[in-house]
Amino acid sequence: MYAQLLTFGAAFLGSAVESVEALTIVLAVGLTRGWRAPLYGTVTALVLLGVLVAVFGQLIVARVPELTLKLVIGALLVLFGLRWLHKAVLRSAGVVAMHDEDHAYAQAVRSMQGAVERRDWVGFTLALKGVFLEGLEVVFIVIAVGGTSGGLHIAVAGGLLAMVVVAAAGFIVKRPLARVPENTLKYAVGVVLTSIGTFWAAEGMGAVWPLDFVSLLGLAVLYFAASRAAIAVIRRPVAA
Amino acid sequence: MRFIRAAVEEVVGLFVGDWTQTVVSVAILALGWFALPRLHIAGLAFVLCLALASQLVADTAAEARRARKT
């Protein structure tokens, strides 16, 4: 039950963050160049991403032995999660600017000046590329958390629900979801994914965790504490 | 072709943001892979987590220093 909740939650949150970024691109294209071409581009990208999940998800679940799967996916999740944590620490410490959907939207709109033809290939390609590239992270999160825990359908449901919620919110407000605490969400998902990755990678190496799944809480606390320590170290005034 | 190159860069970028951090993380994981099955010590896996967490602190602090210099 807890494992399923964790799988669903991690897939939902990770997908929500990336869906917000993809939505910004689609909105920018749609509101500047018309909706037909970006919607075709979005649907094409979603079909491609769905094929990737179906093919790689099934292939991984059916063909790879459980321990090898945990080791490889766990190690990849560690690298993936650490990358998100790394960025979150630098953003929280003020070294890197916070991701701003309004700014990203304005930048995308500026890059799309020019006449729109009847068949708007620019709009189609921009939406396809934006949704597909942002969606690759969703595909990895869904396959990684779903494939390794044996709950691929739960992870797919979490990922799909996140996309539907974000798309519905974007349809209602018709502007980038700048008020979604994207940086905080990414920070939290980074801690969760790094913890899950470490848990599975160590199990794949043959380790047995004390209290089994409860150890995940300890790992999350440790990674969170380390990230706060990193922020404190970076913010510490440098001696002249 | 540009789309495929962007997709490949995106896939590599999923796991690699900073090459130093990636190489150190992979080295820690490889060390764990070597040591964990041989040394049957309860809780040793937490050392793996500690090592990864420490390199996060060291690497982000180093990047912040580099960013301040430029």
Side-chain angles (χ1 to χ4, degrees), chain B residues 12-62:
Chain B
V12 174
L14 291 180
F15 312 106
V16 183
D18 171 17
W19 276 101
T20 316
Q21 182 180 35
T22 306
V23 169
V24 175
S25 301
V26 169
I28 292 169
L29 289 167
L31 205 67
W33 186 37
F34 179 79
L36 280 174
R38 289 170 176 80
L39 311 165
H40 297 283
I41 304 170
L44 188 63
F46 277 106
V47 177
L48 180 78
C49 174
L50 261 177
L52 289 167
S54 306
Q55 75 85 29
L56 173 73
V57 178
D59 194 67
T60 46

Side-chain angles (χ1 to χ4, degrees), chain A residues 129-142:
Chain A
K129 193 175 163 186
V131 175
F132 184 77
L133 296 183
E134 296 296 342
L136 280 176
E137 297 202 53
V138 176
V139 168
F140 173 72
I141 293 171
V142 165

